[in-house]
Amino acid sequence: MYGLINIGFGNVIAGDRVIAIVNPESSPVKRLKDEAKAAGKLIDATYGRKTRAILITDSNHVILSAIQPETIAQRFRSSLIEIEKVLEEMRREIGK
């Protein structure tokens, strides 16, 4: 229900597939990133910049982003609000 979410530098992801947005500084998250790289499930969308957020998907892919986790979360909220507005407009049209 989230649609596509911009994670920086023209990269977008399917919002419905994301299960977590985490800060990359903790040791368990670093291990998770290393395991995803070894398994071929790491996607680096940082364009060489510092990783500021790691997104984990329902397919166990790990996506690196140079955008802050809070910014990505705000984009998710904005996307949901936009979808809700469209649905409400559609409901009004059907109710006429």
Side-chain angles (χ1 to χ4, degrees), residues 52-86:
R52 298 183 188 275
I54 294 181
L55 297 95
I56 303 165
T57 68
D58 58 0
S59 61
N60 292 326
H61 283 84
V62 174
I63 304 167
L64 309 181
S65 175
I67 307 295
Q68 292 286 349
E70 295 83 7
T71 303
I72 296 171
Q74 178 59 43
R75 291 177 184 179
F76 270 86
R77 284 189 290 275
S78 297
S79 176
L80 184 59
I81 289 168
E82 286 298 314
I83 289 170
E84 287 176 347
K85 286 179 184 176
V86 170

Side-chain angles (χ1 to χ4, degrees), residues 22-27 29-30 51-54 69:
V22 295
N23 187 310
E25 299 302 320
S26 72
S27 292
V29 174
K30 288 178 182 178
T51 299
R52 298 183 188 275
I54 294 181

Side-chain angles (χ1 to χ4, degrees), residues 2-56:
Y2 289 103
L4 297 176
I5 305 294
N6 184 328
I7 60 166
F9 307 107
N11 297 299
V12 293
I13 57 170
D16 293 337
R17 305 292 304 266
V18 175
I19 58 172
I21 306 168
V22 295
N23 187 310
E25 299 302 320
S26 72
S27 292
V29 174
K30 288 178 182 178
R31 255 190 320 276
L32 181 67
K33 181 181 86 165
D34 293 340
E35 290 170 6
K37 185 174 183 178
K41 292 195 169 232
L42 181 70
I43 301 168
D44 187 346
T46 63
Y47 278 76
R49 291 175 174 79
K50 180 180 177 184
T51 299
R52 298 183 188 275
I54 294 181
L55 297 95
I56 303 165

